[in-house]
Amino acid sequence: MSTGPMYTVSVEAMVLVALHAARHGTQAVNGLLLGRKDDSTSEVVVESAVPMFHTALGLAPLTEAAIALITEYSDTVGLTVVGAYHANELNFDRTLALSAQAICARLRVSAPDACVLVVNNATLGELLSRKGEQAAASVHRMASELFDLYAARTGTEFALRADTRCDDRAVSAIVDAVSKERLHRGLVDMDDHFDDVAVDFRNDELKQQIRTLVKTSQPRVL
């Protein structure tokens, strides 16, 4: 039986993470998760995400700068940094990368319940392929297998949480966002922002497009 808070991941957060992975499909990517904790229920709700890197995942100075900028931004939208996400470079690699563990350990200084969301590249690839709709058993199966969520335990240990709630609507939204609307092409991460400060790492326009898409996406029986 798992201990600690329950984690719920919103459609917007799942789509943003998937778009970052799709945008840089041959590279590892990471970012931070924004949300809030309900102290009355001990539930951590992941509401959004901010993409960080697709090249400089292990560089501490850039990571610290990115965390500082994203933390400042999260304050302006009434959220807090509640964790990180990571997609490995290889398709079938679902391990919790050392760089992701390091970021989470850094976040635990101010957020003891910080978690790490790891993208299941194989399931995401299956979902976005033509064979995905034929091979998938159900929408719920796809939603539940898109990500692995690790919660920090004592010290430097992490525990895989099987009780994480992921919204099934994200499956349809991810397919529409990538395959139909090509929204991943407009995603900006911190690598892009540090190269050109004129590009906006907050992705506010993209998030609005995602929210509109979620309202209009038709449920898929996969």
Side-chain angles (χ1 to χ4, degrees):
M1 184 175 179
S2 62
T3 60
M6 165 71 73
Y7 294 88
T8 299
V9 186
S10 74
V11 175
E12 179 179 313
M14 292 176 71
V15 174
L16 280 166
V17 173
L19 289 179
H20 197 196
R23 177 73 174 85
H24 303 284
T26 61
Q27 297 167 290
V29 301
N30 67 9
L32 296 187
L33 303 173
L34 307 185
R36 65 185 85 240
K37 180 179 180 180
D38 187 337
D39 291 326
S40 64
T41 62
S42 294
E43 180 183 19
V44 175
V45 180
V46 179
E47 298 190 12
S48 192
V50 180
M52 289 206 301
F53 301 116
H54 61 271
T55 60
L57 275 66
L59 298 181
L62 288 180
T63 298
E64 287 295 330
I67 291 175
L69 286 172
I70 296 171
T71 300
E72 182 179 347
Y73 163 65
S74 68
D75 291 339
T76 67
V77 294
L79 300 175
T80 60
V81 177
V82 296
Y85 71 83
H86 185 91
N88 290 301
E89 181 178 358
L90 300 180
N91 195 38
F92 292 98
D93 186 358
R94 297 174 65 173
T95 60
L96 182 57
L98 291 177
S99 60
Q101 294 184 44
I103 290 174
C104 191
R106 162 67 176 78
L107 297 178
R108 287 182 65 194
V109 174
S110 56
D113 296 313
C115 61
V116 182
L117 202 64
V118 178
V119 179
N120 182 347
N121 292 327
T123 300
L124 180 59
E126 177 189 349
L127 175 63
L128 297 178
S129 71
R130 292 182 179 180
K131 296 179 181 179
E133 296 194 7
Q134 301 170 354
S138 68
V139 168
H140 180 70
R141 195 273 292 180
M142 294 294 283
S144 64
E145 291 186 6
L146 272 171
F147 305 100
D148 294 326
L149 188 141
Y150 291 84
R153 295 196 297 187
T154 58
T156 58
E157 295 182 343
F158 290 83
L160 179 63
R161 296 293 297 269
D163 58 347
T164 303
R165 295 194 186 103
C166 293
D167 197 314
D168 292 352
R169 293 176 299 166
V171 171
S172 296
I174 289 170
V175 171
D176 288 343
V178 177
S179 300
K180 184 187 296 184
E181 302 297 333
R182 306 292 184 184
L183 295 185
H184 59 296
R185 295 178 177 177
L187 180 137
V188 173
D189 63 15
M190 278 293 180
D191 267 329
D192 302 318
H193 179 72
F194 288 153
D195 286 340
D196 180 1
V197 295
V199 296
D200 191 354
F201 71 87
R202 297 172 296 183
N203 291 289
D204 288 336
E205 182 177 342
L206 178 61
K207 290 174 185 175
Q208 187 55 53
Q209 290 177 295
I210 292 171
R211 291 163 191 156
T212 300
L213 191 64
V214 170
K215 292 178 182 179
T216 59
S217 290
Q218 297 298 315
R220 283 175 168 73
V221 180
L222 303 185

